[in-house]
Amino acid sequence: MYGTVHGGWRTTPRRAAVLDALHACDGFVSAQTLHTALVTDGVGVGLSTVYRTLRLLEAAGHVDVVRDSDGERLYRPRPDDGHRHYLVCRECGFSLAVESGEVEQWVARITRDIGFHSVDHTVELSGVCDGCRPGPVDR
C-alpha cells in the first residue's frame, strides 16, 4: 500500500517500482543498471530517484550492498532472515553468500567489549571465480 511506512521508509509508487525491479534482477545490480531496466519497462523514474530509493532501502535494512572492482555500489534484496556476506567475482560479478557465523560472533564480541550499540558492519570478499580464472584452479 502506497504511503505506508515500511521499516523506516514511506512507500510511493516510484519507490515500489524500484523495489519490484530490484527483486526482478538476478544477483547484485548497480543503480544505473536498475534505472535502465525501469526505463526499458516504461517506468517513468529518474536516476536520482533510484539512487535515493536504494539509499533508503539500505538504511531500512532491505538490501545488501557490495562494491564492484571500480568501487561502484551494487544492490541486492536482503533475505527475510537478515543480511548476508558475499564472495563476489571481480571479473563477471557472480556472487555467492558465504557462511559468516564467526564474523557475526566477532562483531558482537567487539561491540560488547567496547560498549557500542546498534552497530552495522560490512565484510566484502572479492576474488575471481573458477569460470573467469584462466588455467588450473589453485585451492
Side-chain angles (χ1 to χ4, degrees), residues 96-124:
L96 185 64
V98 296
E99 172 56 41
S100 59
E102 290 181 33
V103 171
E104 300 303 326
Q105 292 171 7
W106 175 79
V107 170
R109 188 184 81 245
I110 293 296
T111 57
R112 180 188 64 241
D113 291 352
I114 295 174
F116 272 61
H117 305 275
S118 302
V119 171
D120 294 322
H121 67 277
T122 302
V123 175
E124 294 187 20

Side-chain angles (χ1 to χ4, degrees), residues 4-90:
T4 305
V5 175
H6 295 283
W9 70 293
R10 183 170 300 283
T11 304
T12 66
R14 286 190 178 115
R15 289 178 181 171
V18 170
L19 185 56
D20 289 345
L22 185 62
H23 278 281
C25 292
D26 185 31
F28 284 93
V29 64
S30 70
Q32 291 184 9
T33 300
L34 191 59
H35 177 255
T36 299
L38 285 159
V39 170
T40 299
D41 287 345
V43 178
V45 62
L47 181 58
S48 61
T49 298
V50 173
Y51 275 108
R52 277 193 308 273
T53 300
L54 290 170
R55 283 195 301 271
L56 287 169
L57 289 169
E58 181 182 2
H62 295 295
V63 295
D64 285 325
V65 182
V66 297
R67 293 185 189 271
D68 67 10
S69 60
D70 295 325
E72 183 175 10
R73 297 169 68 83
L74 305 175
Y75 301 86
R76 179 182 197 163
R78 179 170 287 172
D80 291 335
D81 61 348
H83 78 276
R84 299 279 193 277
H85 298 286
Y86 296 90
L87 183 57
V88 180
C89 179
R90 288 188 297 263

